Amino acid sequence: TICYRDGRCRVPFCCASPLLHCSLSLPWNPSCLKLRMAEIGIAACLCLMLAMAAGGALGSSPCDDPSVANLPFCNPDLDLVDRVKDLVSRMSVTDMISQLGNTAPAIEHLNIPAYQWWSEALHGVASSPGVSFGGKVPSATSFPQVIGIAATFNSTLFYEMGQAISTEARAMNNVGQAGLTFFTPNINIYRDPRWGRGQETPGEDPYLTSAYVEQYVAGLQFGPDQRYLKTVACCKHFSAYDLENWNGTDRFHFNAIVSDQDFAETYFPAFESCVRVGKVSSIMCSYNAVNGVPSCANNVIQNQIVRNEWDFSGFIVSDCGAINTIMADHHYTNTTEETVQVALRAGTNLNCGGFYQKYAMEAYNKSYITEADLANAVGPLFGQRMALGMFDPTHLQPYLNISTDQINSPAHQALALDAARESIVLLQNDGSLPLSAESSLKVAVIGPNSNATETMQGNYHGVAPYLISPLMGIQDAGVTSSWAFGCDVACSDSGGFAEAVTIAKGADVVIVVMGLDHGQEREGHDRNVITLPGMQLDLMQEVREAIGGRPLVLVLMSGGPVDISWAKSNANAILWTGYPGQSGGKAIADVIFGKFNPSGRLPVTYVRM
């Protein structure tokens, strides 16, 4: 007997909803199983346990079921195009419409299980609708935020990180705690330093961004067995997206005016590299309009350029809720039927959200769209599910053998530490660094990010197995250290300055860890200025005055650039660390104490007057 991920089974009593709840909320937890015995009977739970023992519960294929096993779409020897064509031909209009949202239900008569398209893995498998932490997978490796990864200028690292993350994603998928389609990477060009999401990108340079996406996507998608995709990546957000909410305009209403030259030189190169070299399987269209046309309704850039000129054969997914913005915010269409029509015919296959699923049937009934439009939309979706191996016999799929012991493995921990070390940029040094790690050296550690933990992950993060703050890293170096917070990142209160000044006076060297956090820069929130928040500069100035000529080392933790003109004249050394991930504090200490020679370069422009 085989029980499937969504709770369906060849034995009817295995389909009971308590069993489904058990498998989804607490994956294979014995206490959950015991609880359910009273609700659905010993026989049902025995079915579950037998399936688990056989490896079928989470490692099964719809085509293992005899009712569909002999149909062409289940034949792994046929060409993928023919398999997709056969499967789609067996779907009704209702079936196809049901599959056009990120939460796609099962199609019972074809034995197709439900699927959640929306998983995240920007710099590690991340919390999202398709990803859950707990049970067998309490955490996943947290690599540095992308802006820091880009600062390494290390294309080998880009690839290795993609491979590590896709391995962990497969391991999580094998126990039912992640999907296989990831809405990553973000390759928008970081043109304005105040942009809240610049931290998610490789920076301001189209060439570096192209180099990054080629390698990272290859690492995510392609493993040792070329028959199957390891995961599906998604290059986002297409196109000309670099504003959240600034000066009265938000991303849902913004209309980017872009010249052909700026498209060719700035906004298109990374996406073209993603498609032509990285061979990405999906692209996400953005909230904003481009030259008056909402991105997800833009036939020119999606069909004529991406599909026809760049030979893209995957699927295009809307940013979450972006189909609705075509009508509600951009006022490009007047009715839901028109909106469905323009988005589908512009090549947006999948709606992250429920707009298509809610309104496409009415659009079909009123002849705004045809059955062929729907087939064109769902075909690439199932093409990618097949390319991942979801419709092939389990014995053919090598990635089903990846176990959870590969999540945060020693090799991945070492890679995260190496990435953090390589991402650190030495902006200034008068010879004060490296410091000696002798125990007699007295080091004062001060500042709002000095004991930061979750901040080090940046946004779009998962649950890290551990987080080593800068303070922890410096304490582990073996020196005599003291610590004072000073103020939080917003730094609107100077009440903690006195303590910071006191410990600074008693130290041989002062390390101030300043910068930004998610309250200053994030999705939905842009900065107005690039100066340090609140009274952070005042804190540094008071510390500088208190210590006289003794060394002052500034460590900047941020995604976006900040004005360092004062520090250039007053700090002995300046380090920029990005958001360095789970081992960030150790990496910072390794650089400060000379265990690692900083080699990072800025991927964005800094003000150094």
Side-chain angles (χ1 to χ4, degrees):
T1 301
I2 296 175
C3 295
Y4 297 99
R5 265 199 195 94
D6 63 354
R8 292 176 301 108
C9 189
R10 293 305 297 163
V11 178
F13 53 64
C14 280
C15 303
S17 60
L19 181 61
L20 172 61
H21 173 76
C22 180
S23 66
L24 291 181
S25 64
L26 294 170
W28 319 129
N29 186 300
S31 62
C32 179
L33 187 62
K34 184 177 180 180
L35 175 66
R36 300 310 172 211
M37 279 190 179
E39 297 181 11
I40 60 176
I42 294 175
C45 288
L46 179 61
C47 165
L48 173 61
M49 289 185 286
L50 288 172
M52 289 164 57
L58 291 177
S60 57
S61 161
C63 293
D64 289 336
D65 191 305
S67 68
V68 295
N70 294 322
L71 296 178
F73 72 82
C74 283
N75 185 350
D77 295 325
L78 291 181
D79 183 81
L80 186 66
V81 173
D82 294 330
R83 295 177 68 185
V84 170
K85 187 179 296 185
D86 177 72
L87 176 58
V88 173
S89 72
R90 299 174 188 276
M91 292 183 186
S92 66
V93 167
T94 301
D95 291 336
M96 289 189 281
I97 290 173
S98 76
Q99 301 301 298
L100 298 181
N102 63 282
T103 304
I107 302 177
E108 297 290 345
H109 70 96
L110 292 172
N111 203 45
I112 296 171
Y115 185 68
Q116 175 56 253
W117 289 91
W118 182 1
S119 293
E120 298 283 357
L122 184 65
H123 51 106
V125 180
S127 302
S128 46
V131 174
S132 62
F133 289 99
K136 287 193 172 184
V137 186
S139 61
T141 307
S142 179
F143 292 92
Q145 178 60 289
V146 175
I147 195 71
I149 292 295
T152 71
F153 281 70
N154 184 343
S155 60
T156 301
L157 174 64
F158 304 158
Y159 176 79
E160 290 176 346
M161 190 176 80
Q163 279 286 292
I165 291 171
S166 61
T167 293
E168 297 195 4
R170 273 287 181 171
M172 293 182 71
N173 179 260
N174 288 341
V175 294
Q177 290 185 238
L180 290 175
T181 47
F182 291 88
F183 293 172
T184 187
N186 182 341
I187 57 170
N188 293 121
I189 300 302
Y190 193 179
R191 297 197 82 176
D192 189 320
R194 298 166 295 184
W195 183 31
R197 299 187 74 175
Q199 60 171 291
E200 300 175 31
T201 77
E204 66 188 24
D205 179 44
Y207 180 81
L208 174 60
T209 304
S210 297
Y212 164 79
V213 72
E214 291 170 8
Q215 295 301 316
Y216 185 57
V217 165
L220 282 176
Q221 292 200 155
F222 305 113
D225 193 318
Q226 296 298 305
R227 294 175 300 168
Y228 299 106
L229 292 175
K230 200 175 177 189
T231 66
V232 162
C234 178
C235 285
K236 65 184 188 183
H237 312 79
F238 195 67
S239 178
Y241 170 47
D242 59 359
L243 177 145
E244 298 303 298
N245 191 339
W246 190 82
N247 200 28
T249 300
D250 64 33
R251 57 184 175 166
F252 308 113
H253 297 83
F254 182 59
N255 177 32
I257 306 300
V258 185
S259 68
D260 289 345
Q261 180 176 351
D262 212 10
F263 269 134
E265 295 179 351
T266 305
Y267 294 111
F268 281 173
F271 282 95
E272 185 172 5
S273 293
C274 178
V275 172
R276 290 188 183 274
V277 182
K279 305 297 182 185
V280 78
S281 295
S282 68
I283 289 173
M284 178 179 283
C285 52
S286 57
Y287 290 117
N288 60 283
V290 178
N291 296 334
V293 182
S295 295
C296 296
N298 199 313
N299 179 68
V300 173
I301 64 172
Q302 294 194 157
N303 283 330
Q304 294 181 28
I305 294 174
V306 175
R307 286 196 164 92
N308 296 340
E309 292 185 20
W310 298 349
D311 297 320
F312 176 69
S313 59
F315 66 89
I316 296 176
V317 57
S318 76
D319 206 340
C320 299
I323 301 299
N324 184 61
T325 66
I326 295 171
M327 178 180 68
D329 299 305
H330 294 293
H331 306 294
Y332 186 73
T333 53
N334 295 315
T335 66
T336 58
E337 297 91 342
E338 288 180 288
T339 306
V340 170
Q341 179 189 60
V342 297
L344 273 182
R345 291 185 177 173
T348 305
N349 307 77
L350 180 67
N351 171 211
C352 183
F355 195 95
Y356 280 161
Q357 291 164 317
K358 186 175 182 179
Y359 298 113
M361 182 57 77
E362 188 173 5
Y364 174 77
N365 289 336
K366 293 182 178 180
S367 300
Y368 280 86
I369 59 172
T370 66
E371 189 168 353
D373 292 325
L374 295 170
N376 288 336
V378 300
L381 301 178
F382 282 96
Q384 297 308 317
R385 288 178 70 171
M386 288 183 181
L388 287 162
M390 292 182 182
F391 288 81
D392 282 9
T394 54
H395 70 274
L396 293 178
Q397 300 181 50
Y399 302 127
L400 293 178
N401 297 320
I402 298 176
S403 61
T404 55
D405 60 8
Q406 295 198 49
I407 298 174
N408 195 44
S409 64
H412 292 181
Q413 291 179 21
L415 183 62
L417 175 58
D418 285 344
R421 285 168 170 160
E422 291 185 32
S423 70
I424 295 174
V425 181
L426 181 64
L427 296 178
Q428 178 167 296
N429 186 24
D430 66 359
S432 296
L433 294 183
L435 301 179
S436 170
E438 296 176 2
S439 58
S440 60
L441 184 71
K442 296 178 181 179
V443 178
V445 184
I446 296 168
N449 279 331
S450 56
N451 202 25
T453 52
E454 186 174 330
T455 294
M456 296 194 305
Q457 294 184 274
N459 61 2
Y460 279 84
H461 63 80
V463 177
Y466 52 81
L467 290 165
I468 303 171
S469 72
L471 176 63
M472 295 174 192
I474 292 166
Q475 289 173 333
D476 288 344
V479 297
T480 301
S481 62
S482 55
W483 173 69
F485 193 42
C487 62
D488 61 16
V489 170
C491 206
S492 57
D493 183 358
S494 62
F497 284 19
E499 182 186 7
V501 168
T502 298
I503 71 163
K505 288 178 177 179
D508 299 314
V509 178
V510 177
I511 300 171
V512 290
V513 189
M514 304 294 187
L516 309 176
D517 66 4
H518 315 318
Q520 306 296 320
E521 54 176 355
R522 65 181 184 274
E523 183 171 0
H525 180 76
D526 297 319
R527 289 183 288 160
N528 290 321
V529 295
I530 61 170
T531 52
L532 284 167
M535 293 185 285
Q536 286 192 39
L537 180 57
D538 299 298
L539 174 59
M540 283 197 293
Q541 289 172 336
E542 289 194 24
V543 169
R544 173 80 275 175
E545 183 178 352
I547 65 175
R550 280 167 288 165
L552 176 67
V553 177
L554 169 61
V555 176
L556 279 171
M557 186 181 296
S558 69
V562 295
D563 181 354
I564 58 171
S565 53
W566 179 89
K568 184 178 185 295
S569 301
N570 293 277
N572 299 85
I574 307 172
L575 296 172
W576 176 77
T577 69
Y579 294 121
Q582 66 186 40
S583 295
K586 177 169 175 50
I588 291 167
D590 285 350
V591 168
I592 287 175
F593 292 103
K595 292 185 178 180
F596 187 84
N597 191 29
S599 57
R601 297 93 153 170
L602 288 176
V604 289
T605 300
Y606 261 63
V607 176
R608 298 182 66 188
M609 295 180 181

